[in-house]
Amino acid sequence: MPKKKPLVVVTRKLPDVIETRMMELFDVRLNVDDHPMSADELVEVVKTAEVLVPTVTDAIDGKLIAAAGNQLKLIANYGTGVDHIDLAAARKKNIVVTNTPDVLTQDTADMTMALILAVPRRLVEGERVMRKGNWTGWSPTWMLGRRISGKRLGIIGMGRIGQAVARRARGFGLSIHYHNRNRVHEDIEHELEATYWESLDQMLAHMDFVSVNCPHTPATYHLLSARRLKLLQPHAVVVNTARGEVIDEAALTRLLAAGEIAGAGLDVFEHEPAVNPKLLALDNVVLLPHMSSATFEGRIAMGEKVLVNIKTFVDEHTPPDRVLVEAF
Ligand code: 8YV
């Protein structure tokens, strides 16, 4: 870093307490009206920023990194997922990338569990009936959903969030199954009574619920492809709080509409903020606007991490949440 107070450019509005502290520590340019920055705006920003604080809504691709001036030394992402950042291009230019792991694990797992409950129990459908004033009274055979307890949950991606989902799911009587790049430590398998499936195809064919909790990388793009989605049982429910790109959204929509998959709970989409209009027309889906980690506590904790990552970097220490391209 050339000087003690680097120019930090933040692409979106962050919690006040974080912005205030940032202004105390650094020379900061904030995005007061919180508009998502255009590609042209970002190009202008990287010409002068020494530290860039982007979010999932910014495409920090190879082209943008190529356009950056040599003063850009750190990309301190406000978020855990880094699939919007070209890590290889950053490394080539000696730009360090950091993220904000851990602090959104519990919130994201809570929302995943909420979707696992909401879809088979038709929570949102019931709520819609009430709001429309369409409830004519109780009936023994109306609004029946599917029982949660005693069923099998298949978790794709058994990292921090996957494990946190598993802990919650066990409390609801679900048995835990998982597919992961690597088998997790036997102590964790033991604690969760989790069954490892080396073959994702095999796991999918045997699950009642499937939860996507892996990052989006070149290896996980459309991991739930049309072919794999067809392996699911017709009563299966798919939940995704990770990244839309992990599922072939068009294929999922077709199978849901055809009744070949029973339901889906989606907090993330392939082309955010666009959502396949056919999904919006389906009753057997619960759709949320990428809000699984959206808690006051979580957003402040994410900001704290960004502050620590920048400060340690500026002080010439290794920032705690450095992202290594090899990990993805
Ligand atoms: C964040 C997320 O809110 O951290 C992540 O990877 O998906 C979100 O929950 C968002 O990415 C902020 O950049």
Side-chain angles (χ1 to χ4, degrees):
M1 268 297 130
K3 59 182 184 237
K4 276 292 165 215
K5 273 204 172 192
L7 174 61
V8 176
V9 180
V10 186
T11 67
R12 301 298 298 267
K13 172 93 188 77
L14 301 185
D16 288 342
V17 61
I18 298 301
E19 292 189 340
T20 303
R21 184 68 184 132
M22 225 175 229
M23 286 188 291
E24 287 165 6
L25 291 169
F26 316 117
D27 178 12
V28 186
R29 205 176 309 147
L30 300 172
N31 178 353
V32 182
D33 65 12
D34 195 35
H35 69 282
M37 285 193 182
S38 67
D40 287 347
E41 259 178 295
L42 283 170
V43 167
E44 278 312 302
V45 159
V46 295
K47 284 184 188 158
T48 56
E50 295 171 270
V51 177
L52 179 68
V53 181
T55 74
V56 68
T57 56
D58 306 300
I60 315 296
D61 53 18
K63 219 170 113 198
L64 184 75
I65 289 172
N70 288 334
Q71 83 296 328
L72 181 63
K73 298 286 181 226
L74 174 66
I75 298 173
N77 188 51
Y78 185 82
T80 303
V82 286
D83 54 327
H84 55 295
I85 302 173
D86 188 330
L87 296 175
R91 183 164 71 179
K92 239 179 165 172
K93 235 175 148 164
N94 279 327
I95 300 170
V96 171
V97 177
T98 60
N99 67 346
T100 62
D102 294 326
V103 290
L104 29 75
T105 300
Q106 305 306 329
D107 295 326
T108 305
D110 285 344
M111 202 64 122
T112 308
M113 200 61 226
L115 287 171
I116 292 171
L117 298 174
V119 178
R121 295 305 308 272
R122 306 177 67 180
L123 194 99
V124 175
E125 275 182 83
E127 214 265 350
R128 270 190 223 121
V129 170
M130 299 301 280
R131 279 187 195 265
K132 286 187 184 148
N134 288 345
W135 191 34
T136 54
W138 188 85
S139 154
T141 53
W142 180 70
M143 213 24 114
L144 305 186
R146 290 283 172 186
R147 179 178 289 166
I148 311 287
S149 179
K151 303 283 171 63
R152 293 173 159 201
L153 169 65
I155 297 174
I156 302 175
M158 199 57 142
R160 281 179 288 253
I161 296 173
Q163 290 173 32
V165 171
R167 286 193 186 94
R168 284 158 177 73
R170 278 167 53 76
F172 285 89
L174 287 161
S175 64
I176 307 303
H177 301 256
Y178 77 98
H179 172 80
N180 199 45
R181 264 186 308 190
N182 304 306
R183 202 166 168 164
V184 298
H185 194 279
E186 60 182 322
D187 290 351
I188 296 170
E189 271 192 9
H190 188 72
E191 178 212 332
L192 301 170
E193 293 182 83
T195 304
Y196 173 62
W197 295 73
E198 195 178 343
S199 159
L200 176 59
D201 288 8
Q202 283 292 323
M203 183 176 89
L204 292 174
H206 291 87
M207 294 301 118
D208 302 299
F209 306 118
V210 170
S211 175
V212 177
N213 297 108
C214 61
H216 165 221
T217 68
T220 65
Y221 175 76
H222 279 197
L223 189 64
L224 290 189
S225 58
R227 180 189 70 75
R228 286 214 172 96
L229 288 167
K230 284 193 188 130
L231 299 172
L232 289 165
Q233 305 182 81
H235 68 265
V237 167
V238 176
V239 165
N240 188 3
T241 54
R243 281 291 181 272
E245 289 89 339
V246 180
I247 304 182
D248 179 340
E249 192 173 296
L252 176 68
T253 307
R254 276 198 308 276
L255 291 163
L256 285 163
E260 290 177 44
I261 296 176
L266 306 173
D267 182 49
V268 287
F269 301 88
E270 224 183 306
H271 307 289
E272 292 180 14
V275 178
N276 188 324
K278 289 182 186 151
L279 268 180
L280 297 171
L282 297 175
D283 270 337
N284 53 345
V285 297
V286 175
L287 306 174
L288 298 176
H290 197 147
M291 57 187 273
S292 283
S293 72
T295 65
F296 288 105
E297 295 89 339
R299 290 286 186 257
I300 290 171
M302 287 163 71
E304 295 279 354
K305 279 210 165 250
V306 169
L307 285 168
V308 170
N309 283 321
I310 300 174
K311 185 76 175 84
T312 46
F313 182 77
V314 171
D315 292 344
E316 295 177 3
H317 299 293
T318 303
D321 304 308
R322 184 167 186 180
V323 175
L324 297 174
V325 62
E326 294 78 16
F328 288 88

